[in-house]
Amino acid sequence: MTPLELRAESLLDELMEKYPLPQRPALIWKPLRVTAGVAYYKSNSIGLSRNLLTDAERLDSTLIHEYAHLLAVHRHGKKAANHGQFWKDAMKDLGAPPERTHCYQVQRNQVRQQVTYECAKCGKKFFKRRRFPKRQRFFHIDCGGGLRLVSVEIKTSDHSAP
C-alpha cells in the first residue's frame, strides 16, 4: 500500500469511530481524471482518484466529503443523496466546510477524433467528435438529404495540457 492509501484507511477508521455507519465503506482507487472522489451508496464504497489525490490535504478533504455523503444517506435515506442540507450538516459534523467541488488542476478529455459527414443532396460537410449511432439514418435538417460518413481522422493529443 502507498502512503496515501494507508492514510486513507486510517482516516476512514477515525471517521467510522466518531460517526459510525452500519458497515465500513470500501475504498476503491480509480484512475479518475476530473473527479476527485465518488460516494457509492448502494455498494457502500468510496471511489478515490489516483490521479488527483496527490497529497494528504487533497485526500483528507475528498475522503471527508465522500464520507459525508454516505453519512447523510445513512441518516436520512435516499433523499439525502445530493449536496443539500443533509449533506451540509454531515460536513459540519465532520468539521469540514461544505464545499461542493474541488479546485484541483485537472486534465480534461482531449478531442481524439474528428468525424466528417457529408449531405448526399447539397454536399454540405459536418464535423463531429463522434460517429453517429449505427443502423440509423440521419438527415440534413435544411435540405433533407441523407448524411454519409466521409472520414474519421484520429487526433494525436498532447497530454500535458490542463
Side-chain angles (χ1 to χ4, degrees):
M1 254 191 216
T2 68
L4 280 178
E5 290 172 341
L6 290 170
R7 182 179 182 93
E9 294 292 341
S10 176
L11 178 56
L12 183 57
D13 289 339
E14 289 175 29
L15 293 170
M16 283 290 296
E17 192 173 310
K18 290 179 185 174
Y19 296 94
L21 295 173
Q23 192 175 17
R24 186 180 194 278
L27 295 181
I28 304 166
W29 290 86
K30 297 180 157 212
L32 303 171
R33 293 179 292 162
V34 177
T35 303
V38 183
Y40 299 106
Y41 314 106
K42 291 181 181 177
S43 64
N44 190 42
S45 59
I46 297 174
L48 298 170
S49 171
R50 275 190 218 112
N51 297 329
L52 297 182
L53 302 179
T54 55
D55 60 48
E57 184 179 336
R58 287 181 176 193
L59 171 67
D60 292 357
S61 66
T62 300
L63 184 54
I64 290 169
H65 176 111
E66 302 310 333
Y67 190 85
H69 280 296
L70 297 179
L71 186 60
V73 169
H74 168 65
R75 290 174 172 174
H76 304 284
K78 284 197 283 187
K79 66 183 176 189
N82 55 39
H83 290 105
Q85 192 59 49
F86 297 128
W87 172 79
K88 289 176 184 174
D89 291 343
M91 285 291 284
K92 290 174 188 171
D93 289 346
L94 297 170
E99 295 170 350
R100 285 187 49 215
T101 58
H102 66 74
C103 55
Y104 312 145
Q105 183 90 8
V106 299
Q107 179 181 331
R108 294 276 176 196
N109 290 338
Q110 303 294 318
V111 176
R112 293 182 287 254
Q113 65 182 4
Q114 179 175 311
V115 181
T116 306
Y117 287 92
E118 184 177 56
C119 175
K121 188 172 183 180
C122 71
K124 182 173 180 179
K125 292 193 182 210
F126 299 89
F127 303 98
K128 302 288 183 185
R129 292 184 179 183
R130 295 184 179 175
R131 291 184 188 204
F132 290 139
K134 293 181 180 181
R135 296 184 184 95
Q136 293 182 28
R137 296 190 62 195
F138 294 87
F139 299 92
H140 183 190
I141 197 166
D142 292 338
C143 73
L147 298 181
R148 66 178 183 84
L149 178 65
V150 175
S151 67
V152 178
E153 178 187 338
I154 304 299
K155 304 263 185 180
T156 56
S157 60
D158 177 10
H159 292 292
S160 63

